[in-house]
Amino acid sequence: MPKASKSKRRSVPVTARSAAGAAVPLPPIHVDGHEKVIINSQHLASLPLVGKLGKSSTETRRRINHFHTLIKEYSKLAALRAKAPALEIDERIELVEREMAQMGGLDWYQKASLLGQCKSRGGDTSRWLVPKLRDLDLHKKEGKLRLLDVGALSCLNYAKERAWIDVVPIDLNSQEPGIYQQDFLDIGKQANDGQTRAGEDEEGGDISHLFETPFDAICLSLVVNFIGDPVRRGDMLKQATRLLAPGGLLFLVLPLSCVTNSRYLDDERLLAIAQHLGLEKLHMHHTAKLAHYLYRLSGSATKSTEDDGQFKKKMLHSAPGRNNFSIVI
């Protein structure tokens, strides 16, 4: 889809229609009183999915980046609808939903990302983490290392290390039988009925017992950037610190442009956020496309110099052409 200039860009109303032909607003999505972005909603699932994988890594990456843009737009619109519901916002939301559906929805996104794990297209980020774990002699620890792999695309990523790594792979929309369907941010939370929100295994069984013991390591590889809301991105980092054992490791991977070409985030800012959460940086590595970080939960949080102890969206680099990626605590 060619880009239109900002001065000419406008929304084209596309609405659901009742039998009488009147526009029908999309139903709001609420979880415990808060609106939550669910890409594969019932409405979206009813739309035709015609997405295809790119013939090249460049084309696939371009489509993935555009899908990220749609997610961010969806999040902004959902926030606007929560504050002031309006038919125009519902129409714009439906437009975004339709485009995501035409690209293939979340299923397409995950298949495209899984394709990106091929060696010919950059490789699996777990291959960067494993040597770092060995350098820390964690392969020699008594008992297996418990690792929570969030947004797992394959249950085989750590298959070579199964003698010393016990992996719990989770994802919102599991692509393999060995991956548990679980919202990372819902772990440990309770629903309105007082019951703990639990994901499911492939047979629909309760998996809450998997999260009763703290983890030695948590992997957030290319999942924080998938969230469109900067506050929820911060919530993911805070949730990781809650689920880690003392001295546990957080492995964070972001697209390189999130820290080298953002107006609101860079390596220095990300380090300050990590230290504020009690995370000590062990390693940082940039490739042509990705930024890898390995942190240890030290338990000693650094006091923020920000107003009221929070990291809000703050302009760091104002040069033109930069993106708006940010993490808010």
Side-chain angles (χ1 to χ4, degrees), residues 159-181:
K160 295 179 181 179
E161 293 77 34
R162 58 179 171 270
W164 58 280
I165 297 181
D166 181 17
V167 183
V168 177
I170 65 171
D171 192 65
L172 279 171
N173 188 48
S174 174
Q175 290 288 301
E176 292 185 9
I179 299 175
Y180 303 108
Q181 191 145 316

Side-chain angles (χ1 to χ4, degrees), residues 81-322:
R81 182 170 63 182
K83 293 179 180 178
L87 180 59
E88 180 184 359
I89 295 176
D90 289 336
E91 292 172 346
R92 291 172 61 191
I93 286 177
E94 186 169 356
L95 274 176
V96 175
E97 284 186 328
R98 284 186 179 277
E99 188 166 358
M100 287 193 292
Q102 288 172 350
M103 291 185 68
L106 189 55
D107 286 334
W108 170 86
Y109 173 83
Q110 289 175 313
K111 287 182 175 67
S113 299
L114 186 58
L115 181 62
Q117 285 197 166
C118 297
K119 289 183 179 179
S120 62
R121 296 195 174 190
D124 165 20
T125 57
S126 67
R127 295 305 92 193
W128 184 88
L129 174 62
V130 169
K132 302 298 181 291
L133 299 178
R134 288 185 177 275
D135 289 345
L136 294 169
D137 288 334
L138 292 176
H139 61 299
K140 299 178 182 179
K141 75 183 291 289
E142 184 178 351
K144 289 187 177 183
L145 179 142
R146 276 175 46 81
L147 185 149
L148 178 61
D149 190 6
V150 182
L153 294 170
S154 173
C155 59
L156 300 178
N157 283 349
Y158 298 91
K160 295 179 181 179
E161 293 77 34
R162 58 179 171 270
W164 58 280
I165 297 181
D166 181 17
V167 183
V168 177
I170 65 171
D171 192 65
L172 279 171
N173 188 48
S174 174
Q175 290 288 301
E176 292 185 9
I179 299 175
Y180 303 108
Q181 191 145 316
Q182 171 71 57
D183 187 331
F184 177 62
L185 290 175
D186 280 350
I187 296 174
K189 288 187 177 180
Q190 292 186 337
N192 291 333
D193 58 4
Q195 298 296 315
T196 300
R197 293 180 189 164
E200 299 178 346
D201 58 21
E202 58 268 30
E203 297 177 355
D206 184 358
I207 61 170
S208 58
H209 63 282
L210 295 174
F211 312 109
E212 293 174 353
T213 304
F215 290 91
D216 300 304
I218 293 178
C219 175
L220 297 179
S221 178
L222 299 175
V223 292
V224 172
N225 57 289
F226 181 78
I227 302 295
D229 182 358
V231 175
R232 285 174 63 82
R233 293 173 190 152
D235 290 342
M236 291 195 76
L237 298 184
K238 290 189 286 187
Q239 175 77 321
T241 63
R242 285 191 289 265
L243 297 176
L244 280 173
L249 303 175
L250 172 60
F251 177 44
L252 175 66
V253 182
L254 295 170
L256 186 63
S257 60
C258 289
V259 291
T260 61
N261 195 43
S262 170
R263 296 180 178 88
Y264 306 103
L265 189 71
D266 54 23
D267 284 328
E268 183 179 354
R269 176 79 166 180
L270 183 58
L271 177 59
I273 291 173
Q275 291 175 335
H276 175 64
L277 296 175
L279 295 165
E280 169 194 5
K281 185 183 76 175
L282 299 182
H283 295 282
M284 180 182 74
H285 176 65
H286 289 181
T287 67
K289 301 174 183 177
L290 302 176
H292 303 73
Y293 305 91
L294 185 62
Y295 302 103
R296 175 187 284 132
L297 184 62
S298 65
S300 56
T302 301
K303 187 175 181 180
S304 169
T305 57
E306 302 285 324
D307 293 338
D308 63 25
Q310 297 181 344
F311 284 83
K312 299 179 181 179
K313 196 171 183 178
K314 178 181 178 181
M315 179 70 73
L316 302 175
H317 308 283
S318 58
R322 287 180 173 267

